[in-house]
Amino acid sequence: MKNIMVVATGGTIAGIGEKGKTVAYHAGEISVEDILKSIPSVEKIAHIQEIQLFNVDSNEIDETKWLVLAKKINELIQSEKIDGIVVTHGTDTIEETAYFLSLAVHSDKPVVITGAMRPATATSADGPYNLYQAIALAGNEQSKGQGVMVLFSNTIYSGRDIQKVNNYKIDAFDQKAFGCLGYMQDEHVYFFSKTFKYHTYQSIFSKNLPDALPKVGIAYFYAGADPYILDYLAQNHEGIVIAGSGNGNYSQKWLNRINELSESKQIIFVRASRVPLGIVFSDHVFDPHEQCIASNTLSAQKARILLSFALSITHDKQQIREIFENY
Ligand code: SIN
């Protein structure tokens, strides 16, 4: 049997509320040890050790905690006695942590993140089964080299592409146009696709993680949006991701502010889209001076993470453009 380390960070999987109910609970309350005790059958599929790194609602996760988590995983995963890592996490920001770790973990050993939509005290809590499958996935030979994955409701997602698409149902995730990496049936793993983008052991960012990352903010465009948000963010951010309309678009007023702030403050802009499906290409109508970098298929919240890593090594726009094409 494989040796799997479970690194717990909190979330609804560790949440408690009124016995049997699914709402009005507090995330990040019970220990990973107690969650594991609720799935005794897991001892038949792996040797398990656990660490309680944090126990928070995932809305409290930030860059500092991401760096602590990534450095802890990089330290643990070097050990010959560990074959894979499972991270338990809240679902609200799981997609951001998954992409952060895709860029920051330096290993081809499996890293699988999971969580739950129902607290541990609910009737039919989904956490124990998700954790059981995540452990099986992290211990599976085929998982090696697949990058950071998220396991949720029998489905294997890539850390780069997963998005929360439902804030209420148990089947809360999707990979948009890319389907999923595969499925699970109990502890059995069935892969059907893989990502072509660089991750984990291929990532230029994972070899040497910094102590802090440059600040990048997100500006959400809507009909009639005041461009003042761009000036506000430019005061203390090195990069701004625009969650634009359509193909990452915005008004002439926004275009003028983007041009001015690019020139006067060397702010690096990325154009993403508030639309969940599609791809943002560079566009000579909405960005005639090529000030912005296209986010490709990354959502604004994921593009923010990549831009922050990119700015930690370069401010050269062409180099950052290439990073967005490859990751
Ligand atoms: C959280 O993200 O920590 C709370 C919500 C959840 O885990 O589903």
Side-chain angles (χ1 to χ4, degrees), residues 11-13 25 27 56-59 89-93 116-117 164:
T12 295
I13 190 167
Y25 62 88
V56 295
D57 184 300
S58 79
N59 295 292
H89 198 286
T91 63
D92 283 353
T93 63
M117 289 296 284
K164 192 168 188 176

Side-chain angles (χ1 to χ4, degrees), residues 37-177:
K37 272 188 206 146
S38 70
I39 29 173
S41 54
V42 81
E43 284 168 13
K44 294 193 189 134
I45 58 167
H47 297 296
I48 296 159
Q49 297 174 69
E50 69 272 0
I51 296 179
Q52 188 77 53
L53 191 62
F54 318 120
N55 209 355
V56 295
D57 184 300
S58 79
N59 295 292
E60 303 305 325
I61 296 282
D62 57 14
E63 281 90 349
T64 309
K65 288 197 179 65
W66 277 338
L67 285 165
V68 170
L69 174 62
K71 285 178 185 181
K72 178 52 88 183
I73 292 173
N74 282 344
E75 175 197 314
L76 293 167
I77 218 161
Q78 275 178 21
S79 164
E80 282 177 11
K81 293 189 188 132
I82 292 180
D83 300 305
I85 304 271
V86 168
V87 178
T88 58
H89 198 286
T91 63
D92 283 353
T93 63
I94 205 169
E95 65 195 67
E96 290 167 71
T97 298
Y99 190 47
F100 187 93
L101 293 180
S102 289
L103 301 171
V105 168
H106 194 64
S107 174
D108 67 349
K109 289 185 191 174
V111 175
V112 181
I113 314 182
T114 195
M117 289 296 284
R118 289 180 179 160
T121 44
T123 302
S124 300
D126 52 332
Y129 189 64
N130 283 343
L131 182 54
Y132 177 84
Q133 291 198 314
I135 289 168
L137 181 61
N140 191 285
E141 224 20 75
Q142 292 178 64
S143 296
K144 223 174 161 191
Q146 303 276 8
V148 173
M149 294 172 279
V150 178
L151 184 286
F152 223 92
S153 288
N154 288 312
T155 313
I156 309 166
Y157 298 102
S158 98
R160 180 188 186 276
D161 298 313
I162 185 167
Q163 280 207 357
K164 192 168 188 176
V165 292
N166 197 300
N167 61 17
Y168 193 60
K169 290 185 174 178
I170 289 188
D171 195 5
F173 292 91
D174 202 356
Q175 264 188 219
K176 305 186 295 175

